[in-house]
Amino acid sequence: MEQNSISHEAYENLLKAILPIILKNGMKVTTMDKVASTLSMSKRTLYEIFDSKEEMLKAVIGYYHKEHINTVMRIFQESETIMEAFYLVFKTLQRIMEQASTDFFRDMDSSYAKLRPVYDNQSNTWQSNMMKAFEEGLEQGVFRSDVNYPILFRMFRIQMESLKRMEEFLPADVKLSEAFDTVCMSFLRSIASQKGMIILENIHKNDMTKAS
């Protein structure tokens, strides 16, 4: 890759611009031609930056996961309570779900399984950090103490992975992002202490008020 053909800022902006194209169309359908035409740039210029489609996909997915982890860390650092942090993290994920198609998730599992290590390595870090967050939530008194969090979180992750691939089976009037939001809110309510439930419902109510 000849990244030095453009500035670092321009390179990151390009990765950000390519991500929605991949999320919407999936990896298999997202060709270099499609990216170039969508972004109104020449395919030659694109190939001057990325040697191949595979290199482009790896760069975009790697960048996205790195930025997502940075966003999650910032949310946990800036939130007043762990309950608020969890809610905001789930909302961030929901916005990604609104852009992603089932083709994207299907391609991650099949056609481009070789990109999974980028995702899985960072997901392992994510799981470790989440378990620490559960412990902090217990210390803050916003989470229940009678929950097996290691098991519950693993089951929740399985549920999330399954949900990403179920859009075609959902009722016509139910969007994937809506199903995701419902599952996440049910999860948070299931682990919330009385104190945590008050915080969660107030945040959710304020969020709904802003959206209306």
Side-chain angles (χ1 to χ4, degrees), residues 15-31:
L15 296 180
K16 293 176 184 177
I18 296 174
L19 177 61
I21 302 173
I22 297 175
L23 290 175
K24 179 181 178 181
N25 299 284
M27 297 180 178
K28 191 173 182 179
V29 176
T30 303
T31 62

Side-chain angles (χ1 to χ4, degrees), residues 171-187:
D173 60 337
V174 178
K175 296 180 180 178
L176 182 61
S177 60
E178 293 174 334
F180 177 83
D181 181 61
T182 299
V183 171
C184 288
M185 286 300 296
S186 297
F187 172 76

